[in-house]
Amino acid sequence: MPRTVAVVGAGPAGLVAARELLRAGLDVAVFEKSARTGGTWAYDPRADADPLGRDPAAPGAVHGSLYASLRTNLPRELMGFSDFPLAGRVFAGDARAFPGHREVLAFLDAFAEESGVAARVRLRAEVLRVRPLGQGQRERWVVAWRGEDGEVAEEVFDAVVVCNGHWTVPQVAEIRGIDNWRGKQMHSHNYRVPEPFRDQNVVVVGMGASGTDIALEVSHVAKEVHIATRYSDRLGKVGLRKNVWIHTEVDCIQDDGKIRFTDGSAVAADSILYCTGYHYHFPFLDLDGLAIDDNRVGPLYNHVFPPKYAPNLSFIGLPLKTIVFQSVELESKWVAAVLSGRSTLPGEEDMMAAVREHYRQMEEAGRPKRHTHVIMPNWEEHLNWLADQVGEPRLEAARLEMLEKAFWCAWSMDEGYRDRWEQEDDSGTSSL
């Protein structure tokens, strides 16, 4: 009888995990809380009643964090799976090099159908609790879940693969004096269109890919946009933009209501828009020896297996700032190989030693704990390590060049880079 595996979540990670588990001869059930597959790529025009979205358990809380105009920040060539590419095919009429979210969702729908995974997905099935079957037991797992009818059921599985994503629970910067702020605050989780910021002075906190995108979009309707960031060395007015400035990070809200930056400058603003990322959040897990500390999920062996509960509990899709679809596919192949017995893991102590070494290297390099799952700039090393575990080809140099170029373009403050990508590509990578 095949081993049974519960997959939590039917976004890109859950779908490709289920595909690999099925290929390995395992019996798979995918639990998806929402009414459709696609995870974060399923656009929802609604927003939370709380513009900061702090409580994901609030009645009517919105899962999705996409804004209406969102396009991928990686080209099609880096968005598909190895034997089911997004490049060279059009799924929703959007053939652009950097397609919009509807194209990616249509791609995922087609992948789920053609791989046979769609038939294994239970929609409107919310996982409430995942626990080992018995004390000190890690070979069988109880999954409690609530169906559309509100009834709660429990099932026992041989393994659980957690793929519930991490783009739902906002991380909001703590600003000194914010209790005295009388303006509007919003997290990008609840940003959909720029119109609410028309004729306003807006402070955007954070300058990642989405922060840059949103700041530039808002600048078309706002009076002024001021981007606060802890990392940029490009301070002052942005190029040809008449109304966008980059500042150091926010220091506090002054007594006069102005927002002061750490360089001592201050601006009057109507709104603060936080583009400050998200928390990892697993409300259904309550396990001794597994914790989230300053957005470090751990201990995890190479971001996937908790040594204490390996191999029958695993996580797919935690790494950030990498080739995400390739990363989750390789992680899925690794988990499937281990659960089917085709591959083995080191012992618990050896895995823990590897985790401690990773933490030591981070500390030595001065990297904050919250960046534990940020792969950049070690893209090549990480993806090649995963590929080696499952006998897949290593990362091609051209794909790495394409990834690096895409990341630098995303932070260039050039709104049109996506549409000039192929015309101006002098790296020779766009033909992959």
Side-chain angles (χ1 to χ4, degrees):
M1 178 182 255
R3 299 188 72 207
T4 57
V5 186
V7 174
V8 183
L15 294 176
V16 74
R19 195 270 302 266
E20 294 303 328
L21 293 164
L22 287 170
R23 282 181 166 179
L26 301 163
D27 186 7
V28 180
V30 183
F31 295 85
E32 170 53 47
K33 179 179 178 180
S34 74
R36 65 154 10 264
T37 59
T40 195
W41 290 99
Y43 176 70
D44 189 338
R46 301 174 304 147
D48 285 327
D50 167 19
L52 293 178
R54 289 182 186 270
D55 183 8
V62 175
H63 175 81
S65 298
L66 296 184
Y67 40 98
S69 65
L70 183 139
R71 293 170 66 182
T72 64
N73 58 12
L74 295 180
R76 301 179 84 93
E77 290 84 355
L78 300 182
M79 291 295 297
F81 300 122
S82 60
D83 55 358
F84 196 89
L86 182 55
R89 303 173 71 185
V90 179
F91 295 87
D94 183 355
R96 293 175 295 179
F98 291 75
H101 52 81
R102 290 174 185 82
E103 176 75 7
V104 180
L105 184 62
F107 160 79
L108 291 170
D109 285 344
F111 174 77
E113 286 295 336
E114 291 187 31
S115 65
V117 168
R120 301 297 183 118
V121 178
R122 305 179 190 181
L123 298 175
R124 297 189 177 92
E126 179 183 6
V127 172
L128 303 175
R129 186 168 170 78
V130 171
R131 61 178 175 83
L133 182 59
Q135 188 70 29
Q137 216 256 50
R138 56 180 119 168
E139 298 305 315
R140 310 287 311 282
W141 292 80
V142 179
V143 175
W145 61 284
R146 179 167 49 220
E148 188 176 4
D149 58 5
E151 293 294 314
V152 175
E154 286 193 348
E155 291 179 56
V156 177
F157 293 87
D158 295 311
V160 175
V161 184
V162 178
C163 309
N164 67 322
H166 46 81
W167 305 108
T168 295
V169 183
Q171 190 166 276
V172 179
E174 297 296 331
I175 297 176
R176 192 158 50 92
I178 196 66
D179 290 344
N180 299 320
W181 172 254
R182 294 293 172 260
K184 178 180 179 181
Q185 295 183 77
M186 178 188 286
H187 190 277
S188 57
H189 166 66
N190 284 307
Y191 175 83
R192 297 294 181 269
V193 294
E195 193 58 35
F197 300 96
R198 179 168 293 280
D199 298 326
Q200 291 191 1
N201 290 344
V202 182
V203 169
V204 175
V205 181
M207 198 178 164
S210 63
T212 302
D213 266 0
I214 290 171
L216 294 178
E217 182 170 75
V218 166
S219 75
H220 290 291
V221 301
K223 280 186 194 170
E224 297 180 357
V225 174
H226 298 269
I227 304 171
T229 175
R230 58 163 63 102
Y231 297 118
S232 181
D233 55 3
R234 297 176 298 165
L235 302 178
K237 190 168 174 296
V238 174
L240 300 176
R241 297 259 164 193
K242 68 180 188 300
N243 65 340
V244 181
W245 290 262
I246 299 175
H247 301 262
T248 56
E249 60 188 318
V250 174
D251 178 40
C252 68
I253 307 297
Q254 296 181 165
D255 291 341
D256 62 1
K258 287 185 176 180
I259 298 173
R260 189 171 78 209
F261 304 96
T262 54
D263 64 3
S265 64
V267 298
D270 303 291
S271 294
I272 299 174
L273 181 50
Y274 299 95
C275 297
T276 44
Y278 295 84
H279 291 289
Y280 293 101
H281 186 60
F282 311 104
F284 47 86
L285 287 179
D286 183 15
L287 297 171
D288 179 51
L290 185 69
I292 304 173
D293 179 15
D294 193 15
N295 238 22
R296 167 184 284 173
V297 184
L300 289 179
Y301 178 58
N302 277 284
H303 310 282
V304 174
F305 289 102
K308 181 175 180 177
Y309 298 103
N312 296 321
L313 179 66
S314 56
F315 295 77
I316 289 175
L318 299 193
L320 297 162
K321 295 185 181 175
T322 183
I323 308 178
V324 174
F325 279 36
Q326 184 173 355
S327 180
V328 296
E329 182 178 7
L330 288 171
E331 289 177 339
S332 297
K333 289 177 182 292
W334 186 29
V335 170
V338 170
L339 291 180
S340 64
R342 291 184 287 111
S343 181
T344 57
L345 293 173
E348 182 176 344
E349 276 309 309
D350 288 340
M351 286 191 282
M352 279 303 305
V355 172
R356 286 191 292 268
E357 175 61 14
H358 177 212
Y359 295 169
R360 187 196 66 77
Q361 290 176 5
M362 284 189 64
E363 192 172 342
E364 192 175 81
R367 298 184 65 196
K369 186 181 290 186
R370 66 180 181 275
H371 287 180
T372 297
H373 306 294
V374 174
I375 302 305
M376 187 182 75
N378 300 316
W379 298 307
E380 187 172 14
E381 178 186 345
H382 177 70
L383 290 171
N384 284 342
W385 188 92
L386 286 171
D388 290 347
Q389 304 311 299
V390 291
E392 290 287 316
R394 289 187 146 216
L395 182 65
E396 298 161 358
R399 287 175 69 81
L400 180 60
E401 289 170 15
M402 189 183 295
L403 174 66
E404 291 174 342
K405 179 185 173 186
F407 268 96
W408 288 118
C409 284
W411 289 317
S412 68
M413 303 300 289
D414 174 7
E415 250 180 318
Y417 79 87
R418 292 175 174 91
D419 294 319
R420 288 195 299 273
W421 178 266
E422 291 174 325
Q423 292 82 356
E424 297 184 0
D425 186 3
D426 57 6
S427 68
T429 60
S430 66
S431 62
L432 274 183

